[in-house]
Amino acid sequence: MSKILVTGGTGYIGSHTVVELQEAGYTPVIIDDLSNSNKGVLTQIEAITGTIPEFYEFDLCDEQKVVSFVENNPDITGLIHFAASKAVGESVEEPLKYYRNNFFSLINLLNAFKNRNINFVFSSSCTVYGQPTKLPVTESAPVQKAESPYGNTKQVAEEILSDTANAFKNYQIIALRYFNPVGAHKSAMIGELPIGVPQNLVPFITQTAIGKRAKITVFGDDYDTPDGSAVRDYIHVVDLAKAHVAAIKRMEEKKSKANYEVFNIGTGNGFSVLEIIKAFETSTGVKLNYEIGPRRAGDIEKVWGDVSKSASELGWKATLDLEEMMRSAWAWEVYLKEKNPFI
């Protein structure tokens, strides 16, 4: 079947998508600069699927290397673009890093492929909505002012993609606006592997539970939510990975209604930070040490998605529940402690 380029393919969402692509019969090719991942993930993918993916290590901000790669790989028909800096809090502190990494890499790829028929799936985010005025938020909701440089890069990237699709009809582009990915593969052999202090909630939970961290800080308990903590739509990373495969298939089968489309990818349910902590404790039997802290810059109060368009048009919906998200994340943390495959 088709050869699909996966940028950031050794990362958290990327590695799970590579597995789902392989299991669907595709041939994924990975580019990653390993700035926020580990090359050992390739061995883990091979252990799960029986096939080690083709891998190239370089920075997509290097235009000449991108051009050379595209010229030397004329059989690539699809591209899933994950590679980007992605932490909301860090983006507030280091905005220039985020604008460089997230824009240069995207523009270099679009330029390199602009003379080829290509199916392009972009890793977008619910952060494009800012703080929605109406929930659940639909794809037609107005884009609000971004609450962080990270969110702004996703908003502007979508504008770049829309303009590119308008100018170059050889592109078929789908932007997946996904909510908060959590959990790990059922094998417990791949999962979220943050370098340094985790920026996301669930790896901080699992690292606290296993003793790597002393406690979790809940950033704010004075939001206008049932328990005062921020609310998000959490989605299992395997469900999310399958959405990317569904997007590729939609474009291959010529089912797209336009050559630029957007879809929400979530469960359609909102859970607070404190509810996530309780769900982890209930599903694993492990108690957590947490404290309430001040709100974090760049965070919004509450968001969850209307995912009916993804169900009706993309033919995709989430199937794994919150307890499975927590159980699989914990199994991955335990696996890391026992096996240490990346050391």
Side-chain angles (χ1 to χ4, degrees):
M1 285 184 69
S2 308
K3 183 175 282 190
I4 309 296
L5 172 60
V6 183
T7 71
T10 58
Y12 176 40
I13 306 170
S15 61
H16 286 83
T17 301
V18 167
V19 168
E20 295 303 321
L21 284 166
Q22 288 182 334
E23 293 187 344
Y26 291 95
T27 301
V29 179
I30 296 172
I31 295 175
D32 204 307
D33 67 358
L34 302 178
S35 61
N36 195 37
S37 61
N38 190 296
K39 192 174 182 180
V41 169
L42 299 171
T43 303
Q44 301 300 98
I45 292 172
E46 181 182 26
I48 294 168
T49 66
T51 303
I52 192 164
E54 191 175 343
F55 174 76
Y56 297 83
E57 182 183 348
F58 64 88
D59 184 350
L60 290 165
C61 293
D62 187 326
E63 184 178 10
Q64 289 306 310
K65 287 187 178 179
V66 174
V67 169
S68 177
F69 172 86
V70 172
E71 289 175 347
N72 292 326
N73 289 272
D75 53 345
I76 288 175
T77 60
L79 164 58
I80 303 177
H81 182 42
F82 293 110
S85 299
K86 63 182 182 63
V88 169
E90 183 188 50
S91 77
V92 175
E93 298 170 358
E94 298 188 59
L96 296 181
K97 170 185 174 181
Y98 276 68
Y99 290 127
R100 176 190 182 275
N101 289 350
N102 296 6
F103 291 148
F104 288 9
S105 60
L106 175 62
I107 291 168
N108 287 344
L109 286 166
L110 290 171
N111 267 324
F113 279 107
K114 69 181 179 182
N115 295 317
R116 186 186 303 181
N117 291 329
I118 199 79
N119 297 319
F120 192 121
V121 182
F122 178 64
S123 167
S124 193
S125 167
C126 66
T127 57
V128 301
Y129 298 119
Q131 179 57 66
T133 56
K134 183 180 178 181
L135 292 169
V137 64
T138 69
E139 290 87 348
S140 60
V143 172
Q144 305 286 341
K145 176 175 172 54
E147 297 288 333
S148 67
Y150 166 73
N152 195 36
T153 67
K154 293 301 185 183
Q155 288 182 352
V156 176
E158 286 198 10
E159 294 174 358
I160 291 169
L161 290 167
S162 178
D163 291 343
T164 299
N166 185 56
F168 300 96
K169 300 305 180 183
N170 53 300
Y171 270 112
Q172 292 291 315
I173 302 174
I174 289 178
L176 299 182
R177 292 173 176 172
Y178 38 84
F179 291 76
N180 289 50
V182 296
H185 192 265
K186 62 184 179 182
S187 67
M189 298 185 74
I190 54 173
E192 192 165 5
L193 189 66
I195 294 175
V197 178
Q199 297 287 330
N200 297 328
L201 174 63
V202 173
F204 216 112
I205 284 175
T206 58
Q207 289 192 9
T208 302
I210 212 159
K212 290 182 182 177
R213 308 287 166 191
K215 59 187 174 184
I216 308 162
T217 299
V218 177
F219 296 109
D221 66 346
D222 57 349
Y223 288 108
D224 182 18
T225 60
D227 61 22
S229 63
V231 170
R232 300 288 185 272
D233 185 340
Y234 293 87
I235 178 173
H236 198 294
V237 67
V238 172
D239 278 333
L240 177 55
K242 290 178 178 178
H244 293 80
V245 179
I248 288 288
K249 288 182 177 179
R250 177 176 175 82
M251 292 183 285
E252 286 185 339
E253 295 169 2
K254 309 298 182 185
K255 292 183 178 179
S256 299
K257 294 181 178 179
N259 70 326
Y260 176 71
E261 296 182 306
V262 297
F263 293 94
N264 283 341
I265 304 297
T267 65
N269 299 304
F271 295 98
S272 73
V273 173
L274 291 172
E275 285 177 320
I276 295 296
I277 288 173
K278 290 173 184 175
F280 178 84
E281 291 179 335
T282 299
S283 60
T284 66
V286 181
K287 292 296 181 182
L288 293 166
N289 181 26
Y290 68 91
E291 67 177 7
I292 305 298
R295 296 186 185 190
R296 183 172 57 178
D299 279 349
I300 62 172
E301 181 172 86
K302 52 190 171 185
V303 64
W304 62 91
D306 181 327
V307 292
S308 56
K309 181 183 176 185
S310 294
S312 62
E313 296 187 26
L314 199 57
W316 170 93
K317 64 178 180 179
T319 61
L320 300 170
D321 63 18
L322 185 59
E323 286 199 357
E324 176 56 30
M325 298 178 207
M326 297 300 104
R327 280 195 299 266
S328 63
W330 178 234
W332 162 243
E333 192 69 59
V334 171
Y335 175 83
L336 283 176
K337 182 177 182 179
E338 294 178 348
K339 303 294 184 181
N340 288 324
F342 305 115
I343 294 179

Coordinates of all heavy atoms in Angstrom, one line a residue, residues 103-178:
F103 N 6.6 27.0 12.3 CA 6.3 27.5 11.0 C 7.3 27.1 10.0 O 7.0 26.7 8.8 CB 6.3 29.1 11.1 CG 5.1 29.6 11.8 CD1 5.2 30.8 12.6 CD2 3.9 29.0 11.8 CE1 4.1 31.3 13.2 CE2 2.8 29.4 12.5 CZ 2.9 30.6 13.2
F104 N 8.6 27.1 10.3 CA 9.6 26.8 9.3 C 9.5 25.4 8.8 O 9.6 25.1 7.6 CB 11.0 27.0 9.8 CG 11.5 28.4 10.0 CD1 10.6 29.5 9.8 CD2 12.8 28.8 10.3 CE1 10.9 30.8 10.0 CE2 13.2 30.1 10.5 CZ 12.2 31.1 10.3
S105 N 9.2 24.4 9.7 CA 9.1 23.0 9.3 C 7.9 22.9 8.4 O 8.0 22.2 7.4 CB 8.9 22.2 10.6 OG 7.8 22.5 11.3
L106 N 6.8 23.5 8.7 CA 5.6 23.3 7.9 C 5.8 23.9 6.5 O 5.5 23.3 5.5 CB 4.4 24.0 8.6 CG 3.1 24.1 7.8 CD1 2.6 22.7 7.5 CD2 2.0 24.9 8.5
I107 N 6.3 25.1 6.4 CA 6.5 25.8 5.2 C 7.5 25.0 4.3 O 7.3 24.9 3.1 CB 7.0 27.3 5.4 CG1 5.8 28.1 6.0 CG2 7.5 27.9 4.1 CD1 6.2 29.4 6.5
N108 N 8.6 24.5 4.9 CA 9.6 23.8 4.1 C 8.9 22.5 3.5 O 9.2 22.2 2.4 CB 10.7 23.4 5.0 CG 11.7 24.5 5.4 OD1 11.6 25.6 4.7 ND2 12.5 24.4 6.4
L109 N 8.1 21.8 4.3 CA 7.4 20.7 3.7 C 6.5 21.0 2.6 O 6.4 20.4 1.6 CB 6.6 19.9 4.8 CG 7.5 19.2 5.9 CD1 6.7 18.8 7.1 CD2 8.1 17.9 5.2
L110 N 5.7 22.0 2.8 CA 4.7 22.5 1.8 C 5.4 22.9 0.5 O 5.0 22.5 -0.6 CB 3.8 23.6 2.3 CG 2.8 23.2 3.4 CD1 2.2 24.5 4.0 CD2 1.8 22.3 2.8
N111 N 6.5 23.6 0.6 CA 7.3 24.0 -0.6 C 7.8 22.8 -1.3 O 7.8 22.7 -2.5 CB 8.4 24.9 -0.2 CG 8.0 26.4 -0.3 OD1 7.3 26.8 -1.2 ND2 8.5 27.2 0.7
A112 N 8.4 21.8 -0.5 CA 9.0 20.7 -1.1 C 8.1 19.8 -1.9 O 8.4 19.1 -2.9 CB 9.8 19.9 0.0
F113 N 6.8 19.7 -1.4 CA 5.8 18.8 -2.0 C 4.9 19.5 -3.0 O 4.0 18.9 -3.5 CB 5.0 18.1 -0.9 CG 5.7 16.9 -0.3 CD1 6.2 17.0 1.0 CD2 5.8 15.7 -1.0 CE1 6.8 15.9 1.6 CE2 6.4 14.6 -0.4 CZ 6.9 14.7 0.9
K114 N 5.1 20.8 -3.2 CA 4.0 21.6 -3.9 C 3.8 21.2 -5.4 O 2.8 21.5 -6.0 CB 4.3 23.1 -3.8 CG 5.5 23.6 -4.6 CD 5.7 25.1 -4.4 CE 7.0 25.6 -5.1 NZ 7.2 27.0 -4.9
N115 N 4.8 20.4 -6.0 CA 4.6 20.0 -7.4 C 4.2 18.5 -7.5 O 4.3 17.9 -8.5 CB 5.9 20.2 -8.1 CG 6.2 21.7 -8.3 OD1 5.4 22.5 -8.5 ND2 7.5 22.0 -8.1
R116 N 3.7 18.0 -6.3 CA 3.4 16.5 -6.3 C 2.0 16.4 -5.7 O 1.6 17.1 -4.8 CB 4.4 15.8 -5.4 CG 4.2 14.3 -5.5 CD 5.1 13.6 -4.5 NE 6.5 13.8 -4.8 CZ 7.5 13.3 -4.0 NH1 7.2 12.5 -3.0 NH2 8.7 13.6 -4.3
N117 N 1.2 15.4 -6.2 CA -0.1 15.1 -5.6 C 0.2 14.5 -4.2 O 0.9 13.5 -4.2 CB -0.9 14.1 -6.5 CG -1.4 14.8 -7.8 OD1 -1.6 16.0 -7.8 ND2 -1.5 14.0 -8.8
I118 N -0.3 15.1 -3.2 CA 0.0 14.6 -1.9 C -1.2 14.7 -0.9 O -2.0 15.7 -1.0 CB 1.2 15.4 -1.3 CG1 1.8 14.7 -0.1 CG2 0.8 16.8 -0.9 CD1 2.8 13.6 -0.5
N119 N -1.4 13.7 -0.1 CA -2.5 13.8 0.9 C -1.8 14.2 2.2 O -0.9 13.5 2.7 CB -3.1 12.4 1.1 CG -3.8 12.0 -0.2 OD1 -4.5 12.8 -0.9 ND2 -3.7 10.7 -0.6
F120 N -2.2 15.3 2.8 CA -1.5 15.9 3.9 C -2.4 16.0 5.1 O -3.5 16.6 5.1 CB -1.1 17.3 3.5 CG -0.1 18.0 4.4 CD1 1.1 18.5 3.9 CD2 -0.4 18.3 5.7 CE1 2.0 19.2 4.7 CE2 0.5 19.0 6.6 CZ 1.7 19.4 6.1
V121 N -2.0 15.3 6.2 CA -2.8 15.4 7.5 C -1.9 16.2 8.4 O -0.8 15.9 8.7 CB -3.0 14.0 8.1 CG1 -3.9 14.1 9.4 CG2 -3.7 13.1 7.1
F122 N -2.6 17.3 9.0 CA -1.9 18.2 9.9 C -2.3 18.0 11.3 O -3.5 17.9 11.6 CB -2.1 19.7 9.5 CG -1.5 20.7 10.4 CD1 -0.1 20.7 10.5 CD2 -2.3 21.5 11.1 CE1 0.5 21.6 11.3 CE2 -1.7 22.5 12.0 CZ -0.3 22.5 12.1
S123 N -1.4 17.9 12.2 CA -1.6 17.8 13.6 C -2.0 19.2 14.2 O -1.1 19.9 14.6 CB -0.3 17.2 14.3 OG -0.4 17.3 15.7
S124 N -3.3 19.5 14.2 CA -3.7 20.7 14.8 C -4.2 20.5 16.2 O -3.9 19.4 16.8 CB -4.8 21.4 13.9 OG -5.0 22.7 14.3
S125 N -4.9 21.4 16.7 CA -5.2 21.3 18.2 C -6.5 22.1 18.5 O -6.8 23.1 17.8 CB -4.1 21.9 19.0 OG -4.4 22.1 20.3
C126 N -7.2 21.7 19.6 CA -8.3 22.4 20.0 C -7.9 23.8 20.6 O -8.8 24.7 20.8 CB -9.1 21.7 21.1 SG -8.1 21.4 22.7
T127 N -6.6 24.1 20.7 CA -6.2 25.4 21.2 C -6.5 26.5 20.2 O -6.5 27.6 20.6 CB -4.7 25.4 21.5 OG1 -4.0 25.0 20.3 CG2 -4.3 24.5 22.6
V128 N -6.9 26.1 18.9 CA -7.2 27.1 18.0 C -8.5 27.8 18.4 O -8.8 28.9 17.9 CB -7.4 26.5 16.5 CG1 -6.1 25.9 16.1 CG2 -8.6 25.6 16.4
Y129 N -9.3 27.2 19.2 CA -10.6 27.8 19.6 C -10.4 28.8 20.7 O -11.4 29.5 21.1 CB -11.6 26.7 20.1 CG -11.9 25.7 19.0 CD1 -11.7 24.4 19.1 CD2 -12.6 26.1 17.8 CE1 -12.0 23.4 18.1 CE2 -12.9 25.2 16.8 CZ -12.6 23.9 17.0 OH -13.0 23.0 16.0
G130 N -9.3 28.8 21.4 CA -9.1 29.7 22.6 C -10.1 29.2 23.6 O -10.4 28.0 23.8
Q131 N -10.7 30.2 24.3 CA -11.8 29.8 25.2 C -13.1 30.0 24.5 O -13.6 31.1 24.3 CB -11.8 30.7 26.5 CG -12.9 30.4 27.4 CD -13.0 29.0 27.9 OE1 -12.1 28.5 28.6 NE2 -14.0 28.3 27.5
P132 N -13.7 28.9 24.0 CA -15.0 29.0 23.2 C -16.1 29.7 24.0 O -16.2 29.5 25.2 CB -15.3 27.5 22.9 CG -14.1 26.8 23.2 CD -13.4 27.5 24.3
T133 N -17.0 30.4 23.3 CA -18.1 31.0 23.9 C -19.3 30.0 24.1 O -20.2 30.2 24.9 CB -18.6 32.2 23.1 OG1 -18.9 31.7 21.7 CG2 -17.5 33.3 23.0
K134 N -19.2 28.9 23.3 CA -20.3 27.9 23.4 C -19.6 26.5 23.4 O -18.7 26.2 22.6 CB -21.2 28.0 22.2 CG -22.4 27.1 22.2 CD -23.3 27.3 21.0 CE -24.5 26.3 21.0 NZ -25.3 26.5 19.8
L135 N -20.1 25.6 24.3 CA -19.6 24.3 24.4 C -20.8 23.3 24.2 O -21.9 23.5 24.6 CB -19.0 24.0 25.7 CG -17.6 24.8 25.9 CD1 -17.2 24.7 27.4 CD2 -16.6 24.3 25.0
P136 N -20.5 22.1 23.6 CA -19.3 21.7 23.0 C -18.9 22.5 21.7 O -19.8 23.0 21.0 CB -19.5 20.2 22.6 CG -20.9 20.1 22.4 CD -21.6 21.0 23.4
V137 N -17.7 22.7 21.4 CA -17.2 23.5 20.3 C -17.3 22.7 19.0 O -16.8 21.6 19.0 CB -15.8 24.1 20.6 CG1 -14.8 23.0 20.7 CG2 -15.5 25.1 19.6
T138 N -17.8 23.3 18.0 CA -17.9 22.7 16.7 C -16.8 23.2 15.8 O -16.2 24.3 16.0 CB -19.2 22.9 16.0 OG1 -19.3 24.3 15.6 CG2 -20.4 22.5 16.9
E139 N -16.5 22.6 14.6 CA -15.5 23.0 13.7 C -15.9 24.4 13.1 O -15.0 25.1 12.6 CB -15.4 22.0 12.6 CG -14.7 20.7 13.0 CD -15.7 19.7 13.5 OE1 -16.9 20.0 13.8 OE2 -15.3 18.5 13.7
S140 N -17.1 24.7 13.1 CA -17.5 26.0 12.5 C -17.5 27.2 13.5 O -17.8 28.3 13.2 CB -19.0 25.9 12.0 OG -19.9 25.6 13.0
A141 N -17.1 26.9 14.8 CA -17.0 27.9 15.8 C -15.9 28.9 15.4 O -14.9 28.6 14.8 CB -16.7 27.3 17.2
P142 N -16.2 30.2 15.8 CA -15.1 31.2 15.4 C -13.8 31.0 16.2 O -13.9 30.5 17.4 CB -15.8 32.5 15.9 CG -16.8 32.1 16.9 CD -17.3 30.8 16.5
V143 N -12.8 31.2 15.5 CA -11.4 31.0 16.1 C -11.2 32.2 17.0 O -11.2 33.4 16.6 CB -10.3 30.9 15.1 CG1 -9.0 30.9 15.7 CG2 -10.5 29.5 14.3
Q144 N -11.0 32.0 18.3 CA -10.7 33.1 19.3 C -9.2 33.4 19.3 O -8.4 32.7 18.9 CB -11.2 32.6 20.7 CG -12.6 32.1 20.7 CD -13.6 33.3 20.6 OE1 -13.3 34.4 20.8 NE2 -14.9 32.9 20.3
K145 N -9.0 34.6 19.9 CA -7.5 34.9 20.1 C -6.9 33.8 20.9 O -7.4 33.4 21.9 CB -7.4 36.3 20.8 CG -6.0 36.6 21.1 CD -5.9 38.0 21.7 CE -4.5 38.3 22.2 NZ -3.4 38.1 21.2
A146 N -5.7 33.4 20.4 CA -5.0 32.3 21.1 C -4.5 32.7 22.5 O -4.2 33.9 22.7 CB -3.8 31.9 20.2
E147 N -4.6 31.8 23.4 CA -4.1 32.1 24.8 C -2.7 31.8 25.0 O -2.1 32.1 26.1 CB -4.9 31.2 25.7 CG -6.4 31.4 25.7 CD -6.8 32.7 26.4 OE1 -6.1 33.2 27.2 OE2 -7.9 33.3 26.0
S148 N -2.0 31.3 23.9 CA -0.5 31.0 24.1 C 0.1 31.1 22.7 O -0.6 30.9 21.7 CB -0.3 29.6 24.7 OG -0.7 28.6 23.8
P149 N 1.4 31.3 22.6 CA 2.1 31.2 21.3 C 1.9 29.9 20.7 O 1.8 29.8 19.4 CB 3.6 31.5 21.7 CG 3.5 32.4 22.9 CD 2.3 31.8 23.7
Y150 N 1.9 28.8 21.4 CA 1.7 27.5 20.9 C 0.3 27.5 20.1 O 0.2 27.0 19.0 CB 1.7 26.4 21.9 CG 1.1 25.1 21.5 CD1 1.8 24.3 20.6 CD2 -0.2 24.7 21.9 CE1 1.3 23.1 20.2 CE2 -0.7 23.5 21.4 CZ 0.0 22.7 20.6 OH -0.6 21.5 20.1
G151 N -0.7 27.9 20.8 CA -2.0 28.0 20.2 C -2.0 28.8 18.9 O -2.7 28.5 17.9
N152 N -1.3 29.9 19.0 CA -1.2 30.8 17.8 C -0.5 30.1 16.7 O -0.9 30.3 15.5 CB -0.5 32.1 18.2 CG -0.7 33.2 17.2 OD1 -1.7 33.4 16.6 ND2 0.4 34.0 17.0
T153 N 0.5 29.3 16.9 CA 1.2 28.6 15.8 C 0.2 27.7 15.1 O 0.2 27.5 13.9 CB 2.4 27.8 16.3 OG1 2.0 26.7 17.1 CG2 3.4 28.7 16.9
K154 N -0.7 27.1 15.9 CA -1.7 26.2 15.3 C -2.7 27.0 14.4 O -3.1 26.6 13.3 CB -2.4 25.3 16.3 CG -1.5 24.3 17.0 CD -0.9 23.3 16.1 CE 0.0 22.3 16.8 NZ 0.6 21.4 15.9
Q155 N -3.2 28.1 15.0 CA -4.1 29.0 14.2 C -3.5 29.4 12.9 O -4.1 29.3 11.8 CB -4.5 30.2 15.1 CG -5.4 29.9 16.2 CD -5.8 31.1 17.0 OE1 -5.3 32.2 16.7 NE2 -6.7 31.0 18.0
V156 N -2.3 30.0 13.0 CA -1.6 30.5 11.8 C -1.3 29.3 10.8 O -1.4 29.5 9.6 CB -0.4 31.3 12.1 CG1 0.3 31.8 10.9 CG2 -0.8 32.5 13.0
A157 N -0.9 28.2 11.3 CA -0.6 27.1 10.5 C -1.8 26.6 9.7 O -1.7 26.3 8.5 CB -0.1 25.9 11.3
E158 N -3.0 26.6 10.3 CA -4.2 26.3 9.6 C -4.5 27.3 8.5 O -4.9 26.9 7.4 CB -5.4 26.2 10.5 CG -5.4 25.0 11.4 CD -6.8 24.7 12.0 OE1 -7.7 25.4 11.6 OE2 -6.8 23.8 12.9
E159 N -4.2 28.6 8.7 CA -4.4 29.6 7.7 C -3.4 29.3 6.5 O -3.8 29.5 5.3 CB -4.1 31.0 8.2 CG -5.2 31.4 9.3 CD -4.9 32.7 9.9 OE1 -3.8 33.3 9.6 OE2 -5.7 33.2 10.7
I160 N -2.2 29.0 6.8 CA -1.2 28.7 5.8 C -1.7 27.5 5.0 O -1.6 27.5 3.7 CB 0.2 28.3 6.5 CG1 0.8 29.6 7.1 CG2 1.2 27.7 5.5 CD1 2.0 29.3 8.0
L161 N -2.2 26.5 5.7 CA -2.7 25.3 4.9 C -3.9 25.6 4.1 O -4.0 25.1 2.9 CB -3.0 24.2 6.0 CG -1.8 23.5 6.7 CD1 -2.3 22.7 7.9 CD2 -1.0 22.7 5.7
S162 N -4.8 26.4 4.6 CA -6.0 26.7 3.8 C -5.5 27.5 2.5 O -6.0 27.3 1.4 CB -6.9 27.6 4.6 OG -8.0 28.0 3.9
D163 N -4.6 28.5 2.7 CA -4.2 29.3 1.6 C -3.4 28.4 0.6 O -3.5 28.6 -0.7 CB -3.2 30.4 2.0 CG -4.0 31.5 2.8 OD1 -5.2 31.5 2.7 OD2 -3.3 32.2 3.6
T164 N -2.6 27.4 1.1 CA -1.9 26.5 0.2 C -2.8 25.6 -0.6 O -2.7 25.4 -1.8 CB -0.9 25.7 1.0 OG1 0.0 26.5 1.7 CG2 -0.2 24.7 0.1
A165 N -3.8 25.1 0.1 CA -4.8 24.3 -0.6 C -5.6 25.1 -1.7 O -5.9 24.5 -2.8 CB -5.8 23.7 0.4
N166 N -5.8 26.3 -1.4 CA -6.5 27.2 -2.4 C -5.6 27.5 -3.6 O -6.1 27.5 -4.8 CB -6.9 28.5 -1.8 CG -7.7 29.4 -2.7 OD1 -8.7 29.0 -3.2 ND2 -7.2 30.6 -2.9
A167 N -4.3 27.6 -3.4 CA -3.4 27.9 -4.5 C -2.9 26.7 -5.3 O -2.6 26.7 -6.5 CB -2.2 28.6 -3.9
F168 N -2.8 25.5 -4.6 CA -2.2 24.3 -5.2 C -3.2 23.2 -5.1 O -3.4 22.6 -4.0 CB -0.9 23.9 -4.5 CG 0.2 25.0 -4.6 CD1 0.4 25.9 -3.5 CD2 1.0 25.1 -5.7 CE1 1.4 26.8 -3.6 CE2 2.0 26.0 -5.8 CZ 2.2 26.9 -4.7
K169 N -3.9 22.9 -6.2 CA -5.0 21.9 -6.1 C -4.5 20.5 -6.1 O -5.3 19.6 -5.9 CB -5.9 22.1 -7.3 CG -6.6 23.5 -7.4 CD -7.4 23.8 -6.1 CE -8.0 25.2 -6.2 NZ -8.7 25.6 -5.0
N170 N -3.2 20.3 -6.2 CA -2.6 19.0 -6.1 C -2.6 18.5 -4.6 O -2.4 17.3 -4.3 CB -1.2 18.9 -6.6 CG -0.3 20.0 -6.0 OD1 -0.6 21.2 -6.2 ND2 0.8 19.6 -5.4
Y171 N -2.8 19.5 -3.7 CA -2.8 19.1 -2.3 C -4.2 18.8 -1.8 O -5.2 19.4 -2.1 CB -2.4 20.3 -1.4 CG -0.9 20.4 -1.1 CD1 -0.1 21.4 -1.7 CD2 -0.3 19.5 -0.3 CE1 1.2 21.5 -1.4 CE2 1.0 19.6 0.0 CZ 1.8 20.6 -0.6 OH 3.1 20.7 -0.3
Q172 N -4.3 17.7 -1.1 CA -5.5 17.3 -0.3 C -5.1 17.4 1.1 O -4.2 16.7 1.6 CB -6.0 15.9 -0.6 CG -6.6 15.8 -2.0 CD -7.9 16.5 -2.2 OE1 -8.8 16.5 -1.3 NE2 -8.1 17.2 -3.3
I173 N -5.7 18.3 1.9 CA -5.3 18.6 3.3 C -6.4 18.4 4.3 O -7.5 18.9 4.0 CB -4.7 20.0 3.4 CG1 -3.5 20.2 2.4 CG2 -4.3 20.3 4.8 CD1 -3.0 21.6 2.3
I174 N -6.1 17.7 5.4 CA -7.1 17.6 6.5 C -6.3 18.0 7.7 O -5.3 17.5 8.1 CB -7.6 16.2 6.6 CG1 -8.6 15.8 5.5 CG2 -8.3 16.0 8.0 CD1 -9.1 14.4 5.5
A175 N -6.9 19.0 8.4 CA -6.3 19.4 9.7 C -7.2 18.7 10.8 O -8.4 18.9 10.9 CB -6.4 20.9 9.9
L176 N -6.6 17.9 11.7 CA -7.3 17.3 12.8 C -7.0 18.1 14.0 O -5.9 18.3 14.5 CB -6.7 15.9 13.0 CG -6.9 14.9 11.8 CD1 -6.4 13.5 12.2 CD2 -8.4 14.8 11.4
R177 N -8.1 18.7 14.5 CA -8.1 19.5 15.7 C -8.3 18.6 16.9 O -9.5 18.4 17.3 CB -9.1 20.6 15.7 CG -8.8 21.7 14.6 CD -10.0 22.7 14.5 NE -9.7 23.7 13.6 CZ -10.6 24.6 13.1 NH1 -11.8 24.6 13.6 NH2 -10.3 25.6 12.3
Y178 N -7.3 18.1 17.5 CA -7.5 17.2 18.6 C -7.3 17.8 20.0 O -6.7 18.8 20.2 CB -6.8 15.9 18.4 CG -5.4 15.9 17.9 CD1 -4.3 16.1 18.7 CD2 -5.2 15.6 16.6 CE1 -3.0 16.0 18.2 CE2 -3.9 15.5 16.1 CZ -2.8 15.7 16.9 OH -1.6 15.7 16.4

